[in-house]
Amino acid sequence: MNTTQLPPTTRPAVPAAREALTPLRAVLAANALTSLAAGVAAAVAPAWAADRLGVDVDGWVRAVGVFLIVFAVDVALVAR
């Protein structure tokens, strides 16, 4: 009978893999937080945000703010 042995697979332990991703998770969490803050500011007070940006299109600023809120939630989910 011919028996073939496969080499054992080497996978990193789950805690070690999580530990390696910790800096990335921290950056993603910071990105989510700042995107959420900018999105809420633009969605709630588009005239104020447009004035700060030097533009005069409140509607687009509000739309970008809503998009940033959705983006922040998505990034926060990825960071988990």
Side-chain angles (χ1 to χ4, degrees):
M1 182 185 319
N2 187 5
T3 60
T4 306
Q5 267 189 323
L6 296 174
T9 59
T10 55
R11 290 186 188 170
V14 173
R18 265 205 186 281
E19 192 174 304
L21 290 176
T22 302
L24 175 60
R25 291 180 192 280
V27 170
L28 287 171
N31 185 330
L33 186 63
T34 56
S35 295
L36 181 65
V40 168
V44 172
W48 176 82
D51 184 47
R52 296 287 179 256
L53 293 170
V55 296
D56 59 353
V57 285
D58 298 351
W60 281 108
V61 172
R62 183 179 304 248
V64 169
V66 171
F67 170 79
L68 277 174
I69 293 169
V70 173
F71 175 75
V73 170
D74 189 37
V75 172
L77 290 173
V78 169
R80 293 180 5 160

